[in-house]
Amino acid sequence: MTSTIDPTEVVGAHDEERPARKLTGRWDLGVWAASVAIAVLVLKQVFWPFPEGSQFYLVIFLGLTLPLVFLCYRPTSKSPRNPGVVDWVYATIALFVGLYPVLPFGGNGFAGGYDAFLDRAELSTPDIIAGGLLLLLILEATRRTTGWVLPIVCLGFLAFAYYGGFLPQNWDFAHAGIDFGQIVNALYNEQSGFYGIPLNVAATYIVLFTIYGAVLNTSGAGGFFVDFSFALFRRSRTAAGRTAATSGFLLGTVSGSGTATTVSLGAITWPVLRKAGYPKENAGGLLAASGIGAILSPPTLGAAAFIIAEYLQTSYLSVLVWAIVPTLLYYLGIGLAVEADARRFHVNDTGLDLAPPAEIEPPDPSAEPTSSATEPANPATEPINRSTEPINPGAKPTNPEPPNPENAPSAAPALPRGDGPWPVYRGGVSERGLQGVAVDKPLRLWTVLRHGWFHFASLGIIVVFLAMDIPPFTAVVYATGVAALFALIPRRHNVSAWVRDLADSLAEGIRGALPVIAVCAAAGIITSTITKTGLGLALADALVDAAKALASDPTAVLVLTVVFAAVAVCVLGLAVPVTASFIISWVILGPALINLGVAPAETAMFIFYYAVLSEVTPPTALAAVAAAAITGGSVMGTMWQTWKYTLPAFLVPIAFVLTDNGAALLLQRPVGTVLWVVAVSAVGIGALAVVTGGWLFGPVRLPARLLCVPAALLLLYLHPVSIGIGLGFLAIALVVHLLTRVKEKAHA
């Protein structure tokens, strides 16, 4: 009997964001219509913004999206599939209190319109009640979408704001105290609260990119990206590992979630890795590292990258540029690890010569069937359900009907083609599922590109438009339009189907952004509290003081502060989503690093990388746990293998905050400096690969691997003296390794 793993269930079990309801009937239709309407509003705001200003738009945006959270997400896992009475009560109240500041009716302290609401010297009793209800509903929405931890953190900050006045005033953390009305006023009527930078980014950047990802998915980009990766490497010893890494990078442009990308990637590439000879834990580590790499890499970084641009008042293109070299070093580390594993595990040539459906020869009609339409032909690949569409926890789900044997085709479906010069790409491996069997004609790169090249076009448009100084939210709308038009080409004889698919994509984009919207609104609670109480500066000073208690040398203080900050971000990221982790860390840890002389750009990127890497940090490592669920490997073993693949990403961010030369890794220095810094860093990554991979023209024994540890660390410090010493350690390690190899061959 064949067992399958549902990627949607894996994501729901292990992602930071809880799975959305699978609505049915009129409930699904109603939420779909509301989501499409909100998407139209978001697109309208890009080109025809409200004259009242951005906060007016944010009030409407939150007031319309918050009710959808209660309709789309269950209060508990045992709640019914469709919304109940409590959900509708919450949604109704959320709609009212969310839109309360812009309600045009009322008077005598009740609503009265947006201008009247802003002009009040202090909030009225109805205002405070509405703001208090909105606060509670945002906490409940965050609990439904991400779990208990972030709401509890928010309540802790609120308690500190309210009770902080009772602390001894000689304590560094004490403040004068803030009453409930002042707290609500800061959250409800100021730009540092609910309607601060986090929600602004969610409403103007993130939601547009989720819509873009949904349109890409509808156009078949996910399947194309996987097939492109298979065709790119084809037959070689390292083809399986390279394919997994490349597919993860490309699928991330559609998914935007590290864990979801890991699951989508594993569903299609784990059979390849297993056939090649990868152990379960190593394969799971590679899948998790590849899935996380997508949200560390341009052109579609994680949601926190947009917040970086807003906090630093710089362009999103600048943030993309800063990420180029760290991305190259990250994938250099994965590439070297793949090469080492291929030799250590004697990985086989997997034979990725797989054809798209139109190129597969029809089966012999006289042959007896060997498996059902839903089972793989090779039992070695049976445990995986090979859906390759990127999983979006908030997306409108689909429920495919079981196949009917009477309607099963006798041959592989033909590749659809247009009447003109526009061949329609419908996928090879992704459409058929990887069967692990030989076919007569290979899946060739040119064939894949000829049928799906346009999926790269929209990504290129984003970069080109950003280079032309077009705002990112405008650029992504244009790119979405291009992707939608290309999706029309295969449907030009059925425009109504194209319109339905486009509307579905708009709805999926909004539903996919709901967890991030809730998190960003909750993050406004934290940032407002920190700003009002001065807690951020107090905690930053405490962090630096802890480092100074252990060392007096300024360099040592900086090193210790950076290490403390890295640990703090990782630990925080274990409990809260990446976006919230970045925001909290920025307002608390950012000032500590900046006060020690680290530039804001380096500080922001340092915090960003560690916030993302929390998804692969033991003991939780959500992406690694999801990968282990796919491969069936040991969870802890998969976590440590993931750490092996992602080790460069943990050390490179430290490199660009410790010394002035580290800024060259963000392309913040002259070209000459950038070149030698990148070269030295690459050598350092190579030394790390020797430590973790244990291979360099043959097995590397323990003494040589130990010598490579200080070599890598000293090289990545990027100071001339440390570089010289590091190269010395590396040279000694190479000599020891070569002598050991010669001795072993002599005794062989």
Side-chain angles (χ1 to χ4, degrees):
M1 180 177 179
T2 302
S3 62
T4 61
I5 293 177
D6 183 359
T8 307
E9 293 180 359
V10 176
V11 173
H14 304 296
D15 200 4
E16 291 172 323
E17 298 172 359
R18 298 296 186 264
R21 276 182 166 123
K22 296 180 179 179
L23 301 174
T24 59
R26 64 183 185 276
W27 310 111
D28 187 30
L29 180 60
V31 169
W32 175 89
S35 299
V36 172
I38 295 172
V40 172
L41 172 69
V42 171
L43 295 173
K44 174 261 178 193
Q45 178 67 12
V46 173
F47 299 103
W48 301 283
F50 288 104
E52 293 86 351
S54 62
Q55 186 168 342
F56 182 84
Y57 164 65
L58 293 179
V59 171
I60 295 176
F61 179 80
L62 182 62
L64 295 178
T65 55
L66 188 61
L68 289 183
V69 175
F70 299 108
L71 300 180
C72 295
Y73 288 84
R74 303 180 184 184
T76 67
S77 59
K78 297 181 180 179
S79 300
R81 169 176 293 185
N82 290 318
V85 175
V86 174
D87 299 313
W88 278 107
V89 170
Y90 282 178
T92 303
I93 297 175
L95 180 66
F96 176 75
V97 299
L99 296 178
Y100 176 87
V102 299
L103 294 179
F105 53 83
N108 297 322
F110 178 83
Y114 181 65
D115 292 336
F117 183 80
L118 293 182
D119 291 342
R120 292 188 184 116
E122 60 181 23
L123 295 184
S124 63
T125 299
D127 296 341
I128 293 175
I129 293 174
L133 289 173
L134 183 60
L135 169 62
L136 294 176
L137 290 169
I138 287 174
L139 293 177
E140 170 62 10
T142 307
R143 183 195 69 81
R144 290 192 181 201
T145 55
T146 65
W148 279 102
V149 175
L150 183 56
I152 291 174
V153 171
C154 291
L155 289 173
F157 278 97
L158 290 171
F160 175 76
Y162 188 81
Y163 293 106
F166 297 100
L167 297 175
Q169 291 302 300
N170 61 338
W171 287 15
D172 294 335
F173 300 101
H175 60 87
I178 305 175
D179 63 35
F180 185 72
Q182 292 173 316
I183 292 174
V184 172
N185 182 71
L187 296 175
Y188 205 27
N189 198 24
E190 296 182 7
Q191 293 187 352
S192 62
F194 299 142
Y195 312 113
I197 288 178
L199 184 64
N200 183 53
V201 169
T204 55
Y205 295 96
I206 297 173
V207 68
L208 290 170
F209 272 84
T210 57
I211 291 173
Y212 170 64
V215 172
L216 274 183
N217 189 30
T218 298
S219 67
F224 165 74
F225 289 150
V226 172
D227 290 344
F228 172 79
S229 302
F230 274 94
L232 185 62
F233 299 108
R234 296 179 60 196
R235 285 189 177 272
S236 71
R237 175 181 290 183
T238 56
R242 292 176 182 176
T243 297
T246 305
S247 298
F249 172 77
L250 294 173
L251 282 176
T253 62
V254 182
S255 169
S257 165
T259 303
T261 302
T262 298
V263 174
S264 299
L265 178 65
I268 190 67
T269 59
W270 160 232
V272 183
L273 295 170
R274 175 169 51 187
K275 183 183 177 185
Y278 275 83
K280 296 178 180 179
E281 290 74 19
N282 291 79
L286 177 57
L287 293 173
S290 301
I292 290 299
I295 55 176
L296 290 171
S297 310
T300 52
L301 295 166
F306 300 105
I307 298 176
I308 292 175
E310 289 296 313
Y311 277 152
L312 299 184
Q313 290 298 291
T314 188
S315 67
Y316 180 61
L317 179 62
S318 297
V319 181
L320 296 184
V321 170
W322 296 341
I324 289 175
V325 172
T327 297
L328 294 176
L329 294 175
Y330 180 78
Y331 281 98
L332 172 64
I334 290 183
L336 293 174
V338 166
E339 296 293 330
D341 285 350
R343 289 156 179 79
R344 285 178 59 206
F345 303 130
H346 305 289
V347 168
N348 304 315
D349 176 355
T350 54
L352 299 182
D353 288 343
L354 299 165
E359 297 183 351
I360 304 174
E361 295 296 330
D364 184 355
S366 62
E368 295 184 1
T370 57
S371 61
S372 70
T374 59
E375 293 181 346
N378 187 342
T381 63
E382 69 178 22
I384 302 299
N385 174 14
R386 298 175 192 83
S387 168
T388 61
E389 293 187 2
I391 304 301
N392 188 333
K396 178 181 177 182
T398 57
N399 297 306
E401 297 179 359
N404 185 345
E406 296 179 0
N407 299 328
S410 60
L415 187 68
R417 299 180 183 276
D419 297 333
W422 300 99
V424 181
Y425 181 74
R426 280 292 178 270
V429 175
S430 59
E431 284 291 314
R432 296 183 296 120
L434 181 66
Q435 301 297 320
V437 295
V439 294
D440 294 336
K441 296 182 180 180
L443 177 65
R444 299 193 181 280
L445 181 61
W446 169 246
T447 301
V448 175
L449 285 175
R450 182 163 56 90
H451 294 152
W453 61 270
F454 52 84
H455 293 301
F456 286 125
S458 60
L459 292 173
I461 286 173
I462 293 178
V463 177
V464 171
F465 282 2
L466 290 176
M468 295 170 60
D469 205 24
I470 294 176
F473 45 83
T474 305
V476 73
V477 171
Y478 290 149
T480 302
V482 170
L485 288 175
F486 278 122
L488 171 62
I489 294 171
R491 300 172 176 87
R492 61 188 180 278
H493 299 304
N494 190 359
V495 177
S496 60
W498 174 77
V499 172
R500 287 195 303 271
D501 288 343
L502 184 58
D504 287 343
S505 298
L506 294 176
E508 289 173 8
I510 295 298
R511 292 184 63 174
L514 291 179
V516 180
I517 294 168
V519 166
C520 287
I525 299 172
I526 297 171
T527 56
S528 177
T529 303
I530 290 174
T531 301
K532 290 293 182 182
T533 61
L535 179 62
L537 293 177
L539 291 175
D541 291 340
L543 184 68
V544 176
D545 290 342
K548 289 181 177 179
L550 299 176
S552 58
D553 180 74
T555 301
V557 171
L558 176 59
V559 171
L560 289 172
T561 303
V562 168
V563 172
F564 292 160
V567 173
V569 178
C570 281
V571 171
L572 180 63
L574 299 179
V576 300
V578 170
T579 305
S581 175
F582 172 82
I583 294 170
I584 297 171
S585 300
W586 172 256
V587 297
I588 294 177
L589 304 175
L593 296 176
I594 292 173
N595 291 339
L596 291 176
V598 181
E602 286 91 310
T603 300
M605 294 301 287
F606 167 82
I607 295 174
F608 167 71
Y609 276 99
Y610 272 95
V612 173
L613 290 170
S614 64
E615 289 200 19
V616 291
T617 301
T620 55
L622 298 177
V625 174
I630 291 291
T631 65
S634 162
V635 172
M636 288 305 300
T638 302
M639 286 184 185
W640 288 114
Q641 291 301 321
T642 303
W643 186 80
K644 176 190 78 174
Y645 284 105
T646 57
L647 184 59
F650 282 93
L651 295 182
V652 169
I654 293 178
F656 54 66
V657 299
L658 287 182
T659 64
D660 290 339
N661 291 327
L665 293 174
L666 302 183
L667 302 179
Q668 298 289 295
R669 290 292 183 269
V671 175
T673 304
V674 169
L675 292 176
W676 75 257
V677 165
V678 172
V680 170
S681 300
V683 175
I685 297 300
L688 284 177
V690 173
V691 175
T692 59
W695 191 275
L696 181 64
F697 309 116
V700 181
R701 303 308 175 193
L702 184 60
R705 294 173 72 174
L706 292 177
L707 286 169
C708 286
V709 173
L713 296 178
L714 290 167
L715 287 169
L716 289 175
Y717 188 71
L718 298 176
H719 187 278
V721 175
S722 68
I723 292 171
I725 299 174
L727 290 174
F729 271 103
L730 185 59
I732 295 172
L734 290 174
V735 171
V736 170
H737 173 58
L738 292 175
L739 291 176
T740 303
R741 291 277 294 164
V742 171
K743 184 177 180 181
E744 289 177 348
K745 288 182 179 180
H747 288 81

